[in-house]
Amino acid sequence: MGRMNRLLATPLLRRRHMVSRAAVATFLAGLALTAVLSGVARQLEADRARADFEQRAAVRTAAVSRAFTDAVTDLRALNLLFTANRGDVSRETFDAFAQPLAARNGYLRALEFQRFVDDSERAAFEAARARDWPGFAIRERGPAGLVAAARRPRYLVNDYVVPIFSNAQIYGYDAWSNPDQRQYMQRAIDSGQPTASPVLRLVQGDGALRGMLVAMPVYRSGTDLSSVAARRAAAHGSTTVVIDAALLVGGSLGAARLLAMGDYALTLYGYTRDGQRVPVFHHEGKPEPVTRLERLLGGGPDTITRGFEVAGTRWEFATARLARRLDSQSGSLSILVSGILLSLAAGWLVHLRSVRTRRIESLVDRRTADLAITAGELRLYRRAIESAANPILLISATRNGYPIEYANPACERILGHGPGELLGLPIGELARSPGDEAGLVELRQALQERRKGHALVRQATRDGRELVSEVYIAPVNDEAGSTTHFVVTTYDVTVAKRYEAELAHRAKYDSLTGLANRALLSDRIERAIAVANGTPVWTVALDIDHFKLVNDTMGRGLGDEALRAIAARIAGAIRQADTAARAGGDDFMLVLCGCGDEGQAAAQVQAVRDAIAEPLKIDGHFLVFGSSAGVAGYPNDGGDPETLVKHAEVAMYRAKETGRNAVQFYAPHMNAHATDRLALEGALRGALREQQFELHFQPQVDLHSGRVVGTEALLRWRHPHFGTVLPDRFIALAEETGLIVPIGAWALRSACVQNREWQCSGLGQLRIAVNLSARQFAEPGLVRTVREVLEETGLAPESLEIELTESMMMIDVESAIETMRFLKAMGVKLSIDDFGTGYSSLAYLKRFPVDVLKIDQSFVRDIVGSRDGAAMVDAIISLAHSLRMHVIAEGVETLEQLDYLRDCGCDEVQGYLFARPEPRETVEPLLRRSRVEPIPLHA
């Protein structure tokens, strides 16, 4: 019986301990579900890790790209300095502007201004720079370093360099001599935009491939920039920054705390001029040791490369993930382990409460997924806040003083505090403004009322700098709706506010002299009229006589210094209630109050003119200026600012036309004269374009052979409505407006073309004489223009004679001698026109490389009937011959004059006795007859 019981009990025990099919199915289903969930979780973790990796790479690439953009912005600011000053910036102004940029941005190894210098200007340019930098010379790269530059038509010279001591070796370097550097600088000139070089080896540093140059052109003020050819012709130079790319990238990423990445490597690649991709910057973290399981499950290295352009040059920034650790896969591993355990538990408990187990599993799975998602979102939000470029604060709303509980790295960096130093400080300590400032009052009310707030306040950094910040406050509420914290976000608008203030000042005041500009002048006139109470208000237009000669002969730098000194004298000579303004160029305007009649106004104007007339010493030069003034009075001459200014300028132009250095009060009849002058000026501006100018020629006869050996080209203007306009009516106006330069260039080219045609038609080696104006002679490109005309026309240089006056050469003797020597070196003949009417001395005369003296017709006219006049002509001829010069007498009208000149040994003559100045068609027969038979020189 006992044995039977044992046999019957055994199957029962086996059935009791046997796992049911449902449990097995549940366990297998649990394993399958666990595998699926683990795979999905692992894929989500991989996607999240990839997204995190891509975000890190994007943030660092953006930081690097922004750093390069900031460097280009610094270049634009440097270039804007030249644009604001019309392309003319002194070395002191350049240093004052550039040195803070170099000091603030260590990656800017050099900030340069490179100036175009023609070969004809080289000697003077090197001499001028050598006075401040002994041994200065324009240099280029040689086999063993920098050597003196070879002669070339044009150079692009490093004229201003900051900092100069660490870049002394490149001071004077000709960037145009390097074909690679010239190529990208030419692109910058053609486009007018910043243009970067390929990766190159910097002179500064260890010589590695890690730098680049970014250049931006500087054009001459007021020039046409509508085409590539126009921009090339207007190029005055370029501003350039030398960037250490590795230092820029390391500094920008280090400042933003973007290098602290243990499992990542960062590399910046650039391209050389040959297109080779080279690493410029590399930073690799120090990852912790990776286990075999982590290596198996984490995968290998992963790299993201993003490209960007800097001023036309391509760069690439690579972010490499060295290895992915198990802690980034903890969720999938935990799901796998938990799933297996839960599957076992579910298989065991399925016999008891399968429905409940399935519910528990479903609940666990949902909560696990929710927790993973929530944790990922919290990490993402924190990283986003910490990566923000603007300060973000979290302050307590329940404690007194609203203490700071969190400050992101940007806040600590901008305010100059270390990590954690801001925690616990009351929010009010970050403000520098007085407590009653409107912005702080608004923010305090927002905190007290638990609402959003926005205001502009001033903040103080730890080192004492003042920031202007735009502050936003927003409350953070708990589940019950109570405010527990405030989020404070600030934006630094210091630079924008500074620019606003500067623009506001420039809108009313002249940037060169500090005087009021035209906009403020109109307001001052209106105010003066409003408070006049019937007393006159005098508006004065003041022009500095012949000031353009200072700019043309001594340079705009010295001209600007003179304008500042004159402006200071004008401001010091008027009363505090009066106004002085600069209307543009060398034109000034005055608003005088309190002068009861014209006599008092004239006395006040004369006091200003006397102050201007005092000798002025600038850079070793003594300058004396005269001035012309026009005066219009309220209410007789106008009732509004525009009318008063216009009538004052009309009176001023009248004073200039009547001999300058005078004062004219406005009269109604002046309007008609001013209208005629404006009409003539308008017609003159279109005359060259519409081909209204022509040349007349007056023969020059050799007294020994009786043959015509040359002609003098004289300019004439035939207007379709005004008729023939005499030179004495329009030449002075052309000089004043600057139109004489293109008109004179046309006359020079046309005369050379005509003379070459005569020579080719068999008239022999005729010489053509062309007059130059003072404005033409002072042009820096005169020598180049003459050379180009001779090359284009094919005329031999010895067939061209350029006539100069004594007065134009005496403005700047040394510069005149240098220009004349360049012309002589070309083979061009030089003559002094109207000799004896100027004020040159014999000491200067023997230094001038002159071929011909032309006796003025006023002396020739006095030969007959005046012993003194005859003696003067005889002395001039003897003097010229003793200096080995040729002599031509002008204005010969009688045979008596001709006989006396021949007896005195005069070489050539011209005048009405032989021919008047006539067009080509009229004078050509005389030239042909002279080839056949001499002109009779006796009665």
PDB file of all heavy atoms in Angstrom, residues 283-298:
ATOM      1  N   HIS A 283      42.566  69.349 -31.730  1.00  0.00           N
ATOM      2  CA  HIS A 283      42.454  69.174 -30.283  1.00  0.00           C
ATOM      3  C   HIS A 283      41.808  67.815 -30.035  1.00  0.00           C
ATOM      4  O   HIS A 283      40.742  67.514 -30.577  1.00  0.00           O
ATOM      5  CB  HIS A 283      41.607  70.281 -29.661  1.00  0.00           C
ATOM      6  CG  HIS A 283      41.344  70.051 -28.186  1.00  0.00           C
ATOM      7  ND1 HIS A 283      42.263  70.381 -27.227  1.00  0.00           N
ATOM      8  CD2 HIS A 283      40.268  69.512 -27.554  1.00  0.00           C
ATOM      9  CE1 HIS A 283      41.757  70.050 -26.033  1.00  0.00           C
ATOM     10  NE2 HIS A 283      40.558  69.535 -26.214  1.00  0.00           N
ATOM     11  N   GLU A 284      42.466  67.001 -29.223  1.00  0.00           N
ATOM     12  CA  GLU A 284      41.947  65.655 -28.935  1.00  0.00           C
ATOM     13  C   GLU A 284      41.818  65.486 -27.436  1.00  0.00           C
ATOM     14  O   GLU A 284      42.750  65.798 -26.685  1.00  0.00           O
ATOM     15  CB  GLU A 284      42.874  64.596 -29.519  1.00  0.00           C
ATOM     16  CG  GLU A 284      42.318  63.179 -29.377  1.00  0.00           C
ATOM     17  CD  GLU A 284      43.103  62.177 -30.206  1.00  0.00           C
ATOM     18  OE1 GLU A 284      43.663  62.586 -31.241  1.00  0.00           O
ATOM     19  OE2 GLU A 284      43.158  61.006 -29.808  1.00  0.00           O
ATOM     20  N   GLY A 285      40.638  65.053 -27.009  1.00  0.00           N
ATOM     21  CA  GLY A 285      40.416  64.854 -25.576  1.00  0.00           C
ATOM     22  C   GLY A 285      41.185  63.652 -25.042  1.00  0.00           C
ATOM     23  O   GLY A 285      41.891  62.938 -25.766  1.00  0.00           O
ATOM     24  N   LYS A 286      41.055  63.424 -23.756  1.00  0.00           N
ATOM     25  CA  LYS A 286      41.715  62.296 -23.091  1.00  0.00           C
ATOM     26  C   LYS A 286      40.645  61.350 -22.539  1.00  0.00           C
ATOM     27  O   LYS A 286      40.210  61.453 -21.392  1.00  0.00           O
ATOM     28  CB  LYS A 286      42.606  62.796 -21.963  1.00  0.00           C
ATOM     29  CG  LYS A 286      43.742  63.693 -22.450  1.00  0.00           C
ATOM     30  CD  LYS A 286      44.607  64.163 -21.297  1.00  0.00           C
ATOM     31  CE  LYS A 286      45.736  65.053 -21.790  1.00  0.00           C
ATOM     32  NZ  LYS A 286      46.578  65.537 -20.674  1.00  0.00           N
ATOM     33  N   PRO A 287      40.170  60.423 -23.387  1.00  0.00           N
ATOM     34  CA  PRO A 287      39.076  59.548 -22.938  1.00  0.00           C
ATOM     35  C   PRO A 287      39.543  58.538 -21.897  1.00  0.00           C
ATOM     36  O   PRO A 287      40.719  58.164 -21.846  1.00  0.00           O
ATOM     37  CB  PRO A 287      38.653  58.840 -24.230  1.00  0.00           C
ATOM     38  CG  PRO A 287      39.894  58.855 -25.074  1.00  0.00           C
ATOM     39  CD  PRO A 287      40.597  60.146 -24.750  1.00  0.00           C
ATOM     40  N   GLU A 288      38.589  58.138 -21.079  1.00  0.00           N
ATOM     41  CA  GLU A 288      38.893  57.095 -20.103  1.00  0.00           C
ATOM     42  C   GLU A 288      39.030  55.745 -20.825  1.00  0.00           C
ATOM     43  O   GLU A 288      38.519  55.563 -21.928  1.00  0.00           O
ATOM     44  CB  GLU A 288      37.770  57.026 -19.067  1.00  0.00           C
ATOM     45  CG  GLU A 288      37.622  58.308 -18.262  1.00  0.00           C
ATOM     46  CD  GLU A 288      36.486  58.194 -17.269  1.00  0.00           C
ATOM     47  OE1 GLU A 288      35.863  57.122 -17.218  1.00  0.00           O
ATOM     48  OE2 GLU A 288      36.237  59.196 -16.557  1.00  0.00           O
ATOM     49  N   PRO A 289      39.734  54.760 -20.207  1.00  0.00           N
ATOM     50  CA  PRO A 289      39.911  53.455 -20.870  1.00  0.00           C
ATOM     51  C   PRO A 289      38.555  52.805 -21.192  1.00  0.00           C
ATOM     52  O   PRO A 289      37.607  52.859 -20.407  1.00  0.00           O
ATOM     53  CB  PRO A 289      40.687  52.642 -19.829  1.00  0.00           C
ATOM     54  CG  PRO A 289      41.372  53.661 -18.991  1.00  0.00           C
ATOM     55  CD  PRO A 289      40.456  54.834 -18.928  1.00  0.00           C
ATOM     56  N   VAL A 290      38.496  52.196 -22.363  1.00  0.00           N
ATOM     57  CA  VAL A 290      37.266  51.570 -22.835  1.00  0.00           C
ATOM     58  C   VAL A 290      37.380  50.053 -22.673  1.00  0.00           C
ATOM     59  O   VAL A 290      38.369  49.441 -23.099  1.00  0.00           O
ATOM     60  CB  VAL A 290      37.006  51.928 -24.315  1.00  0.00           C
ATOM     61  CG1 VAL A 290      35.722  51.278 -24.799  1.00  0.00           C
ATOM     62  CG2 VAL A 290      36.942  53.433 -24.470  1.00  0.00           C
ATOM     63  N   THR A 291      36.366  49.435 -22.027  1.00  0.00           N
ATOM     64  CA  THR A 291      36.391  47.978 -21.822  1.00  0.00           C
ATOM     65  C   THR A 291      36.083  47.262 -23.120  1.00  0.00           C
ATOM     66  O   THR A 291      35.601  47.855 -24.089  1.00  0.00           O
ATOM     67  CB  THR A 291      35.373  47.584 -20.749  1.00  0.00           C
ATOM     68  OG1 THR A 291      34.063  47.874 -21.247  1.00  0.00           O
ATOM     69  CG2 THR A 291      35.603  48.364 -19.468  1.00  0.00           C
ATOM     70  N   ARG A 292      36.355  45.935 -23.110  1.00  0.00           N
ATOM     71  CA  ARG A 292      36.098  45.137 -24.313  1.00  0.00           C
ATOM     72  C   ARG A 292      34.613  45.107 -24.628  1.00  0.00           C
ATOM     73  O   ARG A 292      34.211  45.175 -25.796  1.00  0.00           O
ATOM     74  CB  ARG A 292      36.622  43.717 -24.098  1.00  0.00           C
ATOM     75  CG  ARG A 292      36.433  42.822 -25.319  1.00  0.00           C
ATOM     76  CD  ARG A 292      37.086  41.465 -25.104  1.00  0.00           C
ATOM     77  NE  ARG A 292      38.501  41.622 -24.843  1.00  0.00           N
ATOM     78  CZ  ARG A 292      39.325  40.600 -24.529  1.00  0.00           C
ATOM     79  NH1 ARG A 292      38.822  39.362 -24.448  1.00  0.00           N
ATOM     80  NH2 ARG A 292      40.601  40.804 -24.291  1.00  0.00           N
ATOM     81  N   LEU A 293      33.791  45.020 -23.582  1.00  0.00           N
ATOM     82  CA  LEU A 293      32.343  45.015 -23.813  1.00  0.00           C
ATOM     83  C   LEU A 293      31.881  46.352 -24.385  1.00  0.00           C
ATOM     84  O   LEU A 293      31.047  46.412 -25.287  1.00  0.00           O
ATOM     85  CB  LEU A 293      31.603  44.717 -22.495  1.00  0.00           C
ATOM     86  CG  LEU A 293      30.070  44.707 -22.573  1.00  0.00           C
ATOM     87  CD1 LEU A 293      29.603  43.630 -23.561  1.00  0.00           C
ATOM     88  CD2 LEU A 293      29.488  44.486 -21.180  1.00  0.00           C
ATOM     89  N   GLU A 294      32.445  47.452 -23.848  1.00  0.00           N
ATOM     90  CA  GLU A 294      32.082  48.772 -24.368  1.00  0.00           C
ATOM     91  C   GLU A 294      32.528  48.935 -25.811  1.00  0.00           C
ATOM     92  O   GLU A 294      31.817  49.518 -26.635  1.00  0.00           O
ATOM     93  CB  GLU A 294      32.719  49.876 -23.497  1.00  0.00           C
ATOM     94  CG  GLU A 294      32.093  49.998 -22.121  1.00  0.00           C
ATOM     95  CD  GLU A 294      32.805  51.028 -21.270  1.00  0.00           C
ATOM     96  OE1 GLU A 294      34.031  51.183 -21.433  1.00  0.00           O
ATOM     97  OE2 GLU A 294      32.121  51.686 -20.449  1.00  0.00           O
ATOM     98  N   ARG A 295      33.700  48.418 -26.132  1.00  0.00           N
ATOM     99  CA  ARG A 295      34.170  48.495 -27.513  1.00  0.00           C
ATOM    100  C   ARG A 295      33.267  47.684 -28.430  1.00  0.00           C
ATOM    101  O   ARG A 295      33.007  48.036 -29.573  1.00  0.00           O
ATOM    102  CB  ARG A 295      35.609  48.000 -27.582  1.00  0.00           C
ATOM    103  CG  ARG A 295      36.255  48.215 -28.959  1.00  0.00           C
ATOM    104  CD  ARG A 295      37.732  47.793 -28.980  1.00  0.00           C
ATOM    105  NE  ARG A 295      38.511  48.617 -28.078  1.00  0.00           N
ATOM    106  CZ  ARG A 295      39.027  48.186 -26.924  1.00  0.00           C
ATOM    107  NH1 ARG A 295      38.802  46.931 -26.551  1.00  0.00           N
ATOM    108  NH2 ARG A 295      39.727  48.985 -26.137  1.00  0.00           N
ATOM    109  N   LEU A 296      32.788  46.514 -27.917  1.00  0.00           N
ATOM    110  CA  LEU A 296      31.929  45.658 -28.723  1.00  0.00           C
ATOM    111  C   LEU A 296      30.567  46.307 -28.966  1.00  0.00           C
ATOM    112  O   LEU A 296      30.030  46.294 -30.071  1.00  0.00           O
ATOM    113  CB  LEU A 296      31.768  44.297 -28.040  1.00  0.00           C
ATOM    114  CG  LEU A 296      30.827  43.294 -28.721  1.00  0.00           C
ATOM    115  CD1 LEU A 296      31.368  42.918 -30.104  1.00  0.00           C
ATOM    116  CD2 LEU A 296      30.652  42.056 -27.849  1.00  0.00           C
ATOM    117  N   LEU A 297      30.001  46.897 -27.902  1.00  0.00           N
ATOM    118  CA  LEU A 297      28.649  47.453 -27.996  1.00  0.00           C
ATOM    119  C   LEU A 297      28.624  48.917 -28.419  1.00  0.00           C
ATOM    120  O   LEU A 297      27.623  49.405 -28.927  1.00  0.00           O
ATOM    121  CB  LEU A 297      27.932  47.308 -26.640  1.00  0.00           C
ATOM    122  CG  LEU A 297      27.712  45.866 -26.161  1.00  0.00           C
ATOM    123  CD1 LEU A 297      27.049  45.881 -24.797  1.00  0.00           C
ATOM    124  CD2 LEU A 297      26.891  45.071 -27.156  1.00  0.00           C
ATOM    125  N   GLY A 298      29.716  49.654 -28.154  1.00  0.00           N
ATOM    126  CA  GLY A 298      29.692  51.101 -28.393  1.00  0.00           C
ATOM    127  C   GLY A 298      29.969  51.485 -29.828  1.00  0.00           C
ATOM    128  O   GLY A 298      29.645  52.579 -30.257  1.00  0.00           O
TER     129      GLY A 298
END
